[in-house]
Structures are given as C-alpha cells and as structure tokens.
Amino acid sequence: MARNILRGSFKLMKSINRSLILNIIRERGPISRAEIAKLTKLTPPTVSSLVKELLLAEIVIELSLGESSGGRKPTLLTLNEEMFHVVGMDIGSQNLKIILTSITGKILNKLVYPIPDRSSSDELLSLMKESIRSVIAGSGVDVENVVGIGVGMHGIVDVDQGASIFAPNLNLQNIPIKDELEKEFNMIVKVENDGRAMSLGELWFGNGAGLDSFVCMNVGLGIGAGIIINGRLYHGNHFISGEIGHMVIDIDGPQCTCGNYGCLQTFASGPAIVESVKKEMRLGEATLLSEMTDGNLEDLTGELIYEAALKGDSLAKNTLQQAGRYLGVGITNLIHTVNPRRIIIGGGVSNAGDFLMESIIQTVNQRALTQPAKQTEIMLSKFGEDATAMGAVALILAELFTSRNSERAAAH
Ligand SMILES: [Zn+2]
C-alpha cells in the first residue's frame, strides 16, 4: 500500500519543483518551509502545496524542533527515514554482497553469499533472488516499503537494458538482470557497472558529496573506475568508460585476462599482488608469510599479505608499495585525461590503503604535469568494501530523487 502511494508520488515528482524541494530536504533537512522557499525561489504557497503532497506520500515528515523567537514554533521537514528502504547488491567475481538501507543510506542488514564456481546465468539469477528475499526478511522491514533494487555488476553492463553484457570473471554473457528481478519483485531495478555504481555512492553519501568532478577507482579482483563530470556519472558511448584496469602501463608486461599485455590490473589488482608475493616466495625470499601459510603457497591471500605488512614484513610491505606505484601511474594517466577534483579509491585492495597511499601520492607527485595536478586530492572511499553495494543503493535514489526535467535543467 505505502509503496503504491510512494510510486504514485514519484511519478508526480517527475516535475522539476517537487524534486527540487525533495532534494533540498534530503541535503539540508531538517529545514523549514520558509527556508525552502528562500533557497528554491519558489513562492511560499507553491512550497506549501508541494510539501503537502510529499507529506501525504509519507516520504517527508514534520518535526517540531527549534526555538521560536516569539510566535509559532517553526515546523521542520525531514526525510521519513524509517519508512522506506532500498536494496543494494554488489556482484563480484567470487561473492554476492547485498545490503538493505534506509533512504538516507543507513545500512540495516548485510549478507554475503559465495558465488559457486562455473555458475550459469540462471543459477546466478536464482542466487540473486534468494539473497533479496533473505536480506528483506532478515531486516524485519515490510517488503511493501522497499522501493527498489540496485545492482552493481563487474564487467560490461548495458545500463538502458539493465543487463550484464559480459561478466569476464564469471565467464557469463547477456544476463537480463533487470527484466528478471522486476518480474519477480515488482519494484524498480537498476543495473550498473560496479566501478560506476561506486562513484555514484560516493557522490550521494561519501567522499564525493558536493563535488563537481571526481574519479572513483574500484581496486579489487579487477580494477574499474567511475567518472563524475559536472556532477553526473559519465557512461561513454558503449558503456566501457572507466575500464581503467585495462589501461596499458607496460607494453612488455605480463598478459592480462583481456588478451593484452601489461594492463594496470596485471600489476595492482588483488590477484596480481598475491601472484607477485608468491613469485618472490618461490625464489626463497624470507617472509613471515611462509609461517603464516604453513609453507602452502595456495593458501596465500591478500588479507594475509596485509596482516604480514602490519607486522612489519618487508616482502609484504614492498609488494604493496610496488602496487601503489603502479596505481599511481594509472592515476596520473587519469588526472591527465579527466583532470578531476579528487580521486577516491575503494574495493578490497583499498583495505591495505595505509601501505598503498604513500607510494600512490609520491608517484603522482613525481609524474603529474603541473603543480595543481600533482596536488590532486587522493583519498580512500568512506565505505571500503561496501562501496559498490552503497553505490547500488544510490542508483535507486538517483532514480527516485532526480526528475528528468531537473537533469535537463541542470545541463543548461
Ligand atoms: Zn587487460
């Protein structure tokens, strides 16, 4: 019931003034009607009547706060955080992570499922459906109040169709995610590449909030990026914008899964870091990791390398710093291409951020062309490993809170 009202009201909100007001309440609330009128330059009666619709749809509530200086106490408006919820899913190469959040991005439930080896598209879709049912059931919220499902998927994603065109690490193609999930759950479904979803999450809730331009890098099993220009996510002509893991850093480097040689992700992804440490261990390099893996190289993981680095192990520290130098080269290339205000780094490898950042910043400082370019801000994601799932949530919020009219207006 509530969802129907909400859906109806979101349809209504495809009007520039309603979404303008809703966004101001989202960004600045609790806020009074008078303040909204001042900020939007709408007349007080217009604001009142539009706020009334938002109150009826229960997406906004009134708070009696604040001291009045004589006269009536001002009534403040805020988003109805408790009422509506969003599901965000991150489909990586090995795991499916799913979260349920409030419409302000507060995580209420989180589940992680391993994706079985050699899963078919149908098996993956079944796992997605099961995870959605479980995350909603486990959170105790009413399914009627879940407004949408966002999906961040590694690989090439057709955003218009909501389909995964190619998921290289699962070796799957043409998965009709949006169609299947909409049929099953009867709510809005949006699908996006994981790196791009992550950048949208940073724009909505994280270290990209309020920035006009930034690039968000997802460094994990692969390396991808989302590029925000003029406050908007850039997709490119054929959905491959941001595939920086396949930016060639060394034409004589090792072969990549894509077939080319010397791609950035052959040097700085999680598997590349693990491979590099294994190679040194096989050559007999002394390291705490020999003991930590009981001499079994197959048990070596990125987490163990990070742990060893924390204990001061030179091989672990040097390898992470070396990965940082390669990331720094990739980031310098990005700075020269996009010239963003800030670079944000998330994903599994960013958990070792303290060992990467110094060499990243040093490399950019050595290589970038101008003084301001050298000083481009570089920081870690606010959400670490949850960054893509948060981005998937932001896909739905962007759909709900942004009217096509206001997008067009913003472009002018
Ligand atoms: Zn490649």
Side-chain angles (χ1 to χ4, degrees), residues 219-223 264-275 323 327 349:
V219 188
L221 291 168
I223 301 178
L264 177 59
Q265 69 183 41
T266 65
F267 296 107
S269 65
I273 292 168
V274 171
E275 243 355 274
L327 285 173
V349 172

Side-chain angles (χ1 to χ4, degrees), residues 243-248 254-266:
E243 286 294 329
I244 56 159
H246 302 289
M247 170 195 286
V248 174
Q255 192 170 26
C256 179
T257 49
C258 74
N260 293 322
Y261 289 85
C263 293
L264 177 59
Q265 69 183 41
T266 65

Side-chain angles (χ1 to χ4, degrees), residues 311-355:
K311 290 177 183 160
D313 184 73
S314 327
L315 175 61
K317 282 205 297 196
N318 291 341
T319 308
L320 289 170
Q321 278 160 5
Q322 175 73 357
R325 276 193 287 279
Y326 281 111
L327 285 173
V329 171
I331 288 172
T332 306
N333 291 339
L334 274 175
I335 291 172
H336 292 159
T337 314
V338 183
N339 193 13
R341 170 85 181 275
R342 184 178 288 172
I343 305 269
I344 301 170
I345 304 171
V349 172
S350 72
N351 289 342
D354 22 355
F355 294 101

